[in-house]
Amino acid sequence: MIYSPSELITISAARKLHDGCSVFAGVGLPLLAGILAKRMHAPSLQMVVEGGIIDPEVIPGRLPYSTNEMRLAPRATMLPGITDTFLLAQRGFLDFGFVSGAQIDRYGNLNSSVIGPHDRPTVRLPGSGGANDIASLCRQTIVLTVHEKRRLVPAVDFLTSPGFLQGADSRRQAGLVFGKLAAIVTNLALLGFDEPDRRIRIDALQPGASVEQVRDETGFELVLPRHLTVAEPPSETELAALRSIDPDGVWL
């Protein structure tokens, strides 16, 4: 069965969402993961989009390019302002949040601001948007990213969104007493965080990936569990459902 890295990441992320939960999803793969989960196994899942749209019914083939498009408005439960959306997270109503970043360090801190020195960056990135709020306030945050050595780095050039900061209990000591970074989903592995130091750990390999390949594409040492499992590959049903959502390949 042939599938792309984007399809593998999206299906793996969708599997982490359960029925009855709420997810703060940006456009792209996070939104596709939410739609797929709702179709496959979580019919009561409630999606929240940053622009201020609660529980939309996304029309296949009419996927939005930004979080503020009215393509997400059909049959939505609510259309509040963007401030109200983040207040929902602040009040503890959002179970999951999806984020990504150009860099991720060994404690799950994310950089989506600049590559290189802040005053003279070699690359200027889009910035935080709502990512810092999502990573700080949602009950569980999940990172979606392609697994590359340039992305998984020993230390981020700029800390845009908090993971576990310096590890151990430093996140709580900094005042972030609610929520946590729960997982990182890549095309090579499903990653979690080891206790008590909160370093990134390999929870499972993606189908076809090896420990050596994951290590080669990571810029720091990963924690290995005693028993390493391999994730289930995408099924024909999951792939067919995902491709029907994005038939024109807008995000896949």
Side-chain angles (χ1 to χ4, degrees):
M1 197 180 312
I2 299 174
Y3 45 82
S4 69
S6 295
E7 290 174 329
L8 178 58
I9 292 170
T10 304
I11 290 170
S12 299
R15 290 172 176 173
K16 291 186 172 292
L17 302 175
H18 57 79
D19 200 22
C21 75
S22 56
V23 57
F24 200 140
V27 296
L29 302 191
L31 184 64
L32 291 178
I35 301 168
L36 181 62
K38 195 160 186 170
R39 284 194 174 193
M40 295 296 299
H41 61 269
S44 297
L45 179 145
Q46 188 173 68
M47 291 186 293
V48 178
V49 183
E50 181 180 331
I53 299 173
I54 310 297
D55 207 21
E57 183 177 299
V58 182
I59 301 172
R62 287 185 55 80
L63 295 173
Y65 290 93
S66 79
T67 59
N68 296 307
E69 287 188 44
M70 284 299 100
R71 288 186 180 192
L72 286 170
R75 299 178 66 87
T77 302
M78 293 177 64
L79 296 174
I82 187 171
T83 304
D84 296 304
T85 306
F86 287 106
L87 284 174
L88 291 174
Q90 189 178 43
R91 294 170 67 187
F93 291 146
L94 301 185
D95 299 307
F96 291 94
F98 283 134
V99 295
S100 62
Q103 292 180 328
I104 308 165
D105 72 15
R106 69 183 70 232
Y107 297 116
N109 301 304
L110 293 156
N111 171 22
S112 56
S113 298
V114 294
I115 302 297
H118 184 259
D119 56 342
R120 289 182 176 270
T122 56
V123 178
R124 190 172 294 281
L125 301 165
S128 173
N132 183 291
D133 300 79
I134 293 169
S136 300
L137 301 173
C138 290
R139 292 178 182 271
Q140 296 187 58
T141 302
I142 299 173
V143 179
L144 310 185
T145 184
V146 175
H147 204 126
E148 298 174 327
K149 199 166 190 174
R150 63 174 182 162
R151 293 180 181 271
L152 283 89
V153 296
V156 293
D157 292 344
F158 185 91
L159 202 164
T160 308
S161 306
F164 288 104
L165 299 181
Q166 292 81 43
D169 197 38
S170 59
R171 178 183 171 102
R172 178 172 288 272
Q173 290 175 2
L176 296 172
V177 298
F178 185 80
K180 65 177 182 179
L181 192 60
I184 301 171
V185 177
T186 82
N187 56 307
L188 298 182
L190 303 178
L191 307 173
F193 293 87
D194 202 48
E195 300 282 356
D197 59 2
R198 306 290 191 171
R199 287 171 52 218
I200 293 179
R201 175 189 66 226
I202 302 177
D203 284 342
L205 295 172
Q206 292 283 29
S210 66
V211 172
E212 291 73 23
Q213 186 181 10
V214 174
R215 281 174 164 167
D216 288 344
E217 291 295 339
T218 306
F220 50 84
E221 185 178 353
L222 292 160
V223 178
L224 285 177
R226 183 171 299 178
H227 302 290
L228 192 58
T229 61
V230 177
E232 287 290 326
S235 68
E236 291 184 11
T237 304
E238 288 171 320
L239 285 169
L242 178 57
R243 289 166 182 172
S244 71
I245 298 166
D246 189 10
D248 300 323
V250 173
W251 295 108
L252 291 176

